[in-house]
Amino acid sequence: VQLQASGGGLVQAGGSLRLSCASSLSISRINTINWYRQAPGNQREWVAAVTSSGRTTYFDSVKGRFTISRDNAKNTVYLQMNSLRPEDTAAYFCNAKVFVGNLRGNYWGQGTQVTVSS
């Protein structure tokens, strides 16, 4: 399973970005797709998740600002990020967890850099 993250960039505080995570596997076969982020010197932290049933969950600091969604037809998951803050600056990674079948496993895409200037 290959994941391709894109959409990062430089934005001013208060601005918006939309990240995309395109999957080589039909996302209907993926149990959970997550976004994580990692700032320099920090551990990777979980940001948001969407399950195959469409249930979404968020890290507290992004609730109300970020929205995770999925487009099954495009095999793509999005992270809409609004009201960005300098502390959101990090490399963002998408992650897919497949719980059953011959593709069972934990997959990572490459990071996409988000930089929020104050």
Side-chain angles (χ1 to χ4, degrees), residues 22 29 56 74 76 90 92 97 114 116:
R29 297 179 59 189
T56 59
K74 295 183 178 180
T76 299
Y92 283 71
K97 300 185 190 301
V114 172
V116 184

Side-chain angles (χ1 to χ4, degrees), residues 21 35 37 57 75 77 81 90 95 104 111 113 118:
C21 175
W35 284 99
R37 66 187 180 187
T57 50
N75 291 324
V77 170
M81 305 186 296
N95 162 266
R104 180 175 57 193
Q113 179 67 36
S118 58

Side-chain angles (χ1 to χ4, degrees), residues 55-82:
R55 179 174 175 263
T56 59
T57 50
Y58 299 93
F59 185 51
D60 282 349
S61 72
V62 308
K63 283 181 181 176
R65 300 189 298 123
F66 291 10
T67 302
I68 189 170
S69 62
R70 54 194 295 155
D71 185 334
N72 286 358
K74 295 183 178 180
N75 291 324
T76 299
V77 170
Y78 302 100
L79 185 68
Q80 178 67 44
M81 305 186 296
N82 299 329

Side-chain angles (χ1 to χ4, degrees), residues 37-40 84-92 113-117:
R37 66 187 180 187
Q38 187 169 18
L84 282 162
R85 305 167 179 169
E87 55 264 38
D88 295 318
T89 295
Y92 283 71
Q113 179 67 36
V114 172
T115 302
V116 184
S117 63

Side-chain angles (χ1 to χ4, degrees), residues 32-61:
T32 304
I33 298 179
N34 302 273
W35 284 99
Y36 286 78
R37 66 187 180 187
Q38 187 169 18
N42 290 359
Q43 290 187 334
R44 190 170 295 188
E45 66 179 11
W46 171 78
V47 175
V50 60
T51 68
S52 56
S53 63
R55 179 174 175 263
T56 59
T57 50
Y58 299 93
F59 185 51
D60 282 349
S61 72

